[in-house]
Amino acid sequence: MNTHVSSLRITSVKVLDQDEALDFYCGRLGFEVRDDADLGFMRWLTVALPGQDSPQLLLELPGGPHQDAETAAQVRDLLTKGALGGVFLTSDDVHATYAQLREAGVEITQEPVEQPYGTDFGIRDPFGNHIRVSQLSGATDREIEERYREQAKA
Amino acid sequence: MDLTAQEDTNRRMLRARDEMDRRYAEPLDVPALAAIAHLSASRFGRVFKEVYGETPHRYLQRRRVERAMALLRQTERPVTQVAWDVGFASLGTFSRTFSAVVGCSPSEFRAQAEPVDVPTCFVAAWTRPRERTTFSEKQDGAAAD
């Protein structure tokens, strides 16, 4: 099926305070602001990694024109209990990234773990979103399958 | 950041639950988890259930069973070793709990499971067994390790 959809450009990450979100996503994780505009009914705030125009994270407050107060409260409830979606990032030095984030006091949900496909660890943003940071080994699918088989026998 | 009292409670309970996820193979340490959540040990269980809909013990059992499912699927370790690796002290308790949660025995699960090639955290989240009607609070408590 060809829908002509060609890229993922922006995806929404719910946050509870956009200034605090900037501190975290830009100040801690290294994202840069792409758009920061007051639309009146909302602050349109997007960030992306250096040198990249996409994908962008829309750091969005619950509420706004498409959510009533009760729905927004439900979203805030789900967010703070860790029940909303997550973000998967890659790093070219996962251990260095881990050390920096730990030093900065970021909540660590899992220490770096060696996986057949690489190494990764988990953190949370200040609002409860889960973020996974991976360094992929560059192994081929066949090599990864072989590592799973070796792991199975260990 | 302005949080309502409930949102603040949620956030603190999430930190405690993350700690349970990290230390799933260790005995449930309610005082330590309560300290992370800034609650008394006597209130922790009740507030956890209010936020997550199940007791800390039940959550931990499901977490352990989920890890056991991964080990059964991805390794050739004996079932007894898997039980110990995920925090059960006896094979009998492990088998009863696993069957109550998953609906089949560990050996039956292994026989029908195939390895999956996606990030393990994603597998963990999406294969974490949900509540079954046969996995009652009574059974849950009786299966404590």
Side-chain angles (χ1 to χ4, degrees):
Chain A
M1 181 176 68
N2 183 2
T3 64
H4 304 285
V5 175
S6 57
S7 70
L8 172 61
R9 182 162 170 260
I10 300 174
T11 187
S12 168
V13 172
K14 295 290 187 293
V15 301
L16 300 181
D17 182 302
Q18 289 172 305
D19 289 328
E20 198 164 331
L22 279 182
D23 284 344
F24 180 80
Y25 283 91
C26 295
R28 300 278 188 254
L29 285 180
F31 281 77
E32 297 173 343
V33 174
R34 288 291 176 268
D35 285 308
D36 188 354
D38 182 359
L39 303 183
F41 54 86
M42 72 177 291
R43 178 183 177 189
W44 179 267
L45 178 61
T46 67
V47 297
L49 288 166
Q52 298 180 6
D53 187 48
S54 65
Q56 296 179 17
L57 303 180
L58 174 65
L59 303 175
E60 187 179 20
L61 295 174
H66 59 290
Q67 284 179 352
D68 61 34
E70 184 179 350
T71 305
Q74 290 172 337
V75 172
R76 292 176 63 99
D77 187 55
L78 291 170
L79 173 55
T80 50
K81 64 170 72 171
L84 290 191
V87 176
F88 290 70
L89 303 174
T90 58
S91 163
D92 56 22
D93 187 339
V94 73
H95 291 289
T97 304
Y98 171 76
Q100 286 173 358
L101 295 178
R102 188 176 187 90
E103 176 69 22
V106 170
E107 283 184 53
I108 307 291
T109 58
Q110 188 180 40
E111 314 280 315
V113 180
E114 301 299 323
Q115 311 279 8
Y117 51 82
T119 306
D120 54 17
F121 67 93
I123 59 174
R124 286 204 187 276
D125 78 3
F127 319 104
N129 291 305
H130 190 216
I131 298 169
R132 198 88 188 158
V133 183
S134 303
Q135 182 172 8
L136 303 179
S137 65
T140 63
D141 287 349
R142 176 168 291 191
E143 289 168 336
I144 291 172
E145 279 178 28
E146 183 59 33
R147 286 173 193 170
Y148 272 114
R149 275 196 292 274
E150 288 168 6
Q151 193 180 65
K153 292 171 184 162
Chain B
M1 172 169 51
D2 293 326
L3 298 179
T4 66
Q6 183 60 55
E7 291 163 1
D8 182 59
T9 298
N10 290 349
R11 200 64 189 83
R12 287 184 283 115
M13 297 309 288
L14 178 57
R15 290 190 185 102
R17 198 186 71 171
D18 283 341
E19 179 71 358
M20 292 171 68
D21 284 339
R22 275 191 296 270
R23 301 182 181 278
Y24 65 87
E26 299 175 17
L28 192 63
D29 187 346
V30 172
L33 296 172
I36 290 171
H38 302 296
L39 287 172
S40 68
S42 60
R43 286 195 65 211
F44 178 75
R46 183 168 56 81
V47 176
F48 188 96
K49 186 169 184 181
E50 286 170 1
V51 171
Y52 289 112
E54 61 187 347
T55 65
H57 178 73
R58 180 182 297 207
Y59 178 80
L60 182 63
Q61 295 293 63
R62 286 197 307 107
R63 169 71 168 149
R64 287 173 170 178
V65 167
E66 163 240 308
R67 294 313 306 150
M69 292 167 77
L71 291 174
L72 290 166
R73 188 189 302 112
Q74 294 172 352
T75 76
E76 297 171 2
R77 285 179 218 176
V79 172
T80 304
Q81 182 66 50
V82 169
W84 289 341
D85 286 348
V86 301
F88 287 90
S90 87
L91 180 60
T93 302
F94 171 64
S95 295
R96 280 194 304 277
T97 306
F98 190 97
S99 297
V101 173
V102 180
C104 65
S105 73
S107 299
E108 289 168 341
F109 174 80
R110 168 171 271 166
Q112 61 189 264
E114 293 179 2
V116 287
D117 181 20
V118 299
T120 52
C121 61
F122 203 77
V123 176
W126 285 97
T127 62
R128 189 161 303 166
R130 299 309 307 172
E131 181 179 2
R132 293 174 61 86
T133 52
T134 54
F135 189 47
S136 70
E137 288 283 357
K138 187 177 177 183
Q139 286 173 314
D140 185 29
D145 258 329

